[in-house]
């Protein structure tokens, strides 16, 4: 009997090991680990090679200490801001170290740039990122190695052009401006591209991988400040202190913007929350009232029997289903339409500049997209698929269904309940409600 049980356990183990999902997971993790090892090994090898070939002058040590000191000072002054930004930021995080690291590219031998990067990231890890689960130690080491390789790529542009950093640029005159700009562009592009494989352990949108306009403009701004920092240190070093106040102001300004976004965003799905969606709808209503014959649509979308999913599989699985439904709705509408979550399993969609017949077509497209969903749920190394989802949708159109946002929502909600009462998994317009 024991032999039989052992044999059965062995069969189950072999089956699990040969499971396509488990193999996919192992392959994914192995690829990520391999990439991390390659990046870190490349950063170490390049640093050792450059340290052996590039001479270091006494002046370089002073500049290194100055950049590291100012970077640490700025990080200490903005430490609380940085911790809050880490908590609310959902895209690839862009910190302010580029000011100092790119200045290092323009002023220091490559090996000392690596020392500068390591110093700044170690300080951030110890003082700003501790206790933040999103920043484990291995990620900090990996990110610092990515930045080191990014700095080396910019160094290659400078050395290939024959410009010896900022000091050589001052001697070369205006002709060196383009070279420095090209080095900054290289830093920007290489930094984004090299980081992507480390972020692709799960399906991500383009914005999740590369950030939005605000994230990338922040990186551009820090590179510009890095150029000014290098220029100040190469000419009048005391002027470098004037870089810190605008840098702190920029840091805080970005936090304010991120908090504004967080205040209007649903945490579970990334859609607009009630406040954010209502603000957009009010703006659209104001615009429509100024325009003759304007029309826009409002959809109320409610998942059918969603409580059964929570009761059967738990709320964590339910949250993953909500995220998948949110993505399905977003993919079924236009880029400038606005999708929100009003809590629970209820979603709302704003469709500007659209006729009522087209609103119903969009609602049907959303209903079909949800019906076709197959949500793969990860539970450790195991996988399951949630399918056979459906939604009931209520449709209201301005101005026929009302001339105020609340009236339109009430009309769409009334149509939604009509859909629920007459069988679910259907679209009902307020015009069809007696």
């Amino acid at each position: 009997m024991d032999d039989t049980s052992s044999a059965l356990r062995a069969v189950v183990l072999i089956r699990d090991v040969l499971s396509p999902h488990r193999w996919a997971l192992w392959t994914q993790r192995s690829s990520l680990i391999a990439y991390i090892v390659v990046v870190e090994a490349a950063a170490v090898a390049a640093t050792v090679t450059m340290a052996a070939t590039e001479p270091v002058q006494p002046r370089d040590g002073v500049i290194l200490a100055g950049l590291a000191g100012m970077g640490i000072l700025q990080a200490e002054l903005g430490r609380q801001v940085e911790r809050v930004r880490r908590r609310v930021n959902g895209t690839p995080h862009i910190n302010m170290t580029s000011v100092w690291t790119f200045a290092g590219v323009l002023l220091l031998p490559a090996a000392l740039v690596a020392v500068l990067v390591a110093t700044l990231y170690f300080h951030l890890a110890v003082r700003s990122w501790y206790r933040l689960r999103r920043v484990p130690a291995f990620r900090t080491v990996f990110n610092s190695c990515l930045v080191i390789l990014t700095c080396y790529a910019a160094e290659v542009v400078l050395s290939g052009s024959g410009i010896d950093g900022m000091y050589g640029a001052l001697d070369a005159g205006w002709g060196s401006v383009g070279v420095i700009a090209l080095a900054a562009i290289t830093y920007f592009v290489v930094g984004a591209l090299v980081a992507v494989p480390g972020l692709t352990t799960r399906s991500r949108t383009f914005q999740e991988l590369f950030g939005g306009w605000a994230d990338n403009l922040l990186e551009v701004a820090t590179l510009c400040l890095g150029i000014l920092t290098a220029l100040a240190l190469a000419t009048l070093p005391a002027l470098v202190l004037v870089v810190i106040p605008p840098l702190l102001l920029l840091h805080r300004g970005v936090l304010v913007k991120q908090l504004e976004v967080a205040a209007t965003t649903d945490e579970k799905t990334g859609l607009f929350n009630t406040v954010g969606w209502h603000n957009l709808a009010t703006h659209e209503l104001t615009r429509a009232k100024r325009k003759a014959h304007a029309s826009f649509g409002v959809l109320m979308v409610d998942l059918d029997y969603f409580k059964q999913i929570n009761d059967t599989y738990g709320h964590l699985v339910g949250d993953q289903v909500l995220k998948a439904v949110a993505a399905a709705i977003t993919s079924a509408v236009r880029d400038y339409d606005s999708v929100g979550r009003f809590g629970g399993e209820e979603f709302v969609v704003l469709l500007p500049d659209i006729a009522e017949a087209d609103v119903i077509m969009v609602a049907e497209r959303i209903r079909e997209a949800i019906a076709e969903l197959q949500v793969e749920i990860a539970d450790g190394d195991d996988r399951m698929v949630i399918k056979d989802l459906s939604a009931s949708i209520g449709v209201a159109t301005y101005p026929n269904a009302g001339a105020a946002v609340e009236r339109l929502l009430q009309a769409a909600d009334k149509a939604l309940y009509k859909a629920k009462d007459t069988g679910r998994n259907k679209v009902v317009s307020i015009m069809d409600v007696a």
Side-chain angles (χ1 to χ4, degrees):
M1 195 67 181
D2 290 340
D3 291 341
T4 303
S5 299
S6 299
L8 288 174
R9 284 196 296 270
V11 170
V12 171
L13 178 61
I14 293 172
R15 183 199 64 189
D16 289 344
V17 169
L18 295 178
S19 166
H21 292 303
R22 192 172 296 243
W23 272 110
L25 183 64
W26 284 356
T27 301
Q28 191 178 66
R29 289 177 178 173
S30 299
S31 299
L32 176 60
I33 293 172
Y35 183 70
I36 291 173
V37 171
V38 168
V39 167
E40 293 178 353
V44 171
T47 301
V48 171
T49 301
M50 292 180 178
T53 56
E54 288 189 73
V56 175
Q57 305 297 329
R59 176 186 66 183
D60 298 330
V62 175
I63 293 174
L64 172 63
L67 288 174
M70 286 184 294
I72 290 172
L73 174 62
Q74 174 260 316
E76 284 293 323
L77 293 175
R79 185 162 64 92
Q80 295 304 320
V81 172
E82 179 68 11
R83 286 177 62 80
V84 176
R85 281 192 65 223
R86 276 281 179 178
R87 288 192 178 98
V88 302
N89 196 29
T91 57
H93 186 81
I94 296 173
N95 56 51
M96 300 296 172
T97 57
S98 295
V99 174
W100 319 111
T101 57
F102 191 65
V105 169
L106 297 174
L107 294 170
L108 295 172
L112 291 188
V113 175
V115 175
L116 174 63
V117 172
T119 301
L120 295 177
Y121 270 77
F122 177 77
H123 175 265
L124 284 173
V126 171
R127 293 289 293 163
S128 297
W129 300 340
Y130 69 97
R131 296 180 184 173
L132 294 181
R133 294 181 180 180
R134 296 183 185 181
V135 196
F138 87 89
R139 177 65 72 177
T140 299
V141 174
F142 174 62
N143 286 340
S144 63
C145 289
L146 286 177
V147 174
I148 289 171
L149 293 179
T150 300
C151 291
Y152 289 167
E155 292 260 13
V156 168
V157 172
L158 293 174
S159 60
S161 65
I163 299 293
D164 183 19
M166 183 57 72
Y167 296 104
L170 291 172
D171 294 335
W174 285 100
S176 61
V177 173
V179 175
I180 292 178
L182 181 59
I185 292 171
T186 301
Y187 186 106
F188 179 84
V189 174
V190 171
L193 294 179
V194 174
V196 167
L199 296 170
T200 53
T201 55
R202 63 177 176 83
S203 178
R204 291 174 181 254
T205 64
F206 183 87
Q207 181 165 329
E208 286 177 325
L209 287 173
F210 294 100
W213 281 106
D215 302 297
N216 288 288
L217 287 175
L218 173 61
E219 179 71 354
V220 170
T222 58
L223 291 175
C224 291
L225 287 174
I227 294 172
L228 294 177
T229 299
L231 180 61
L233 286 174
T235 53
L236 296 171
L239 285 178
V240 76
L241 294 175
V242 304
V243 172
I244 293 181
L247 183 57
L248 293 174
L249 185 62
L250 176 63
H251 200 190
R252 186 170 293 274
V254 171
L255 171 62
V256 170
K257 180 62 178 177
Q258 289 178 339
L259 289 175
E260 289 176 352
V261 172
T264 59
T265 301
D266 176 62
E267 185 177 357
K268 287 184 179 179
T269 62
L271 302 176
F272 291 105
N273 61 15
T274 304
V275 173
W277 188 91
H278 201 282
N279 289 341
L280 290 171
T282 301
H283 177 76
E284 177 59 26
L285 178 64
T286 302
R287 190 190 68 82
K289 287 182 176 180
R290 293 197 303 261
K291 187 177 178 182
H293 308 297
S295 176
F296 65 88
V298 172
L299 309 180
M300 294 291 288
V301 182
D302 191 87
L303 292 182
D304 299 326
Y305 306 112
F306 181 72
K307 185 176 182 298
Q308 293 181 3
I309 295 177
N310 281 335
D311 292 344
T312 304
Y313 302 104
H315 288 278
L316 293 180
V317 171
D319 289 347
Q320 294 187 57
V321 172
L322 289 175
K323 290 178 183 178
V325 170
I329 295 174
T330 302
S331 66
V333 299
R334 301 166 298 184
D335 292 340
Y336 53 87
D337 295 330
S338 302
V339 183
R341 176 172 175 251
F342 271 20
E345 64 271 26
E346 193 170 58
F347 300 85
V348 63
V349 184
L350 176 67
L351 304 169
D353 296 319
I354 190 170
E356 183 169 0
D358 294 327
V359 175
I360 294 174
M361 290 177 59
V362 173
E364 284 289 353
R365 190 161 65 237
I366 291 173
R367 187 190 63 79
E368 292 172 1
I370 293 173
E372 294 171 359
L373 266 181
Q374 295 191 20
V375 186
E376 185 174 317
I377 305 296
D379 183 13
D381 291 342
D382 298 324
R383 293 289 189 273
M384 62 180 173
V385 176
I386 305 294
K387 55 184 179 179
D388 298 326
L389 299 170
S390 68
S392 301
I393 303 177
V395 176
T397 309
Y398 170 87
N400 295 335
V405 172
E406 291 303 326
R407 291 291 299 274
L408 290 167
L409 286 172
Q410 289 170 5
D413 196 50
K414 186 176 181 180
L416 169 64
Y417 275 93
K418 180 71 172 180
K420 292 279 191 183
D421 291 341
T422 55
R424 302 178 187 261
N425 192 25
K426 61 170 62 176
V427 173
V428 174
S429 170
I430 188 60
M431 304 304 290
D432 299 327
V433 178

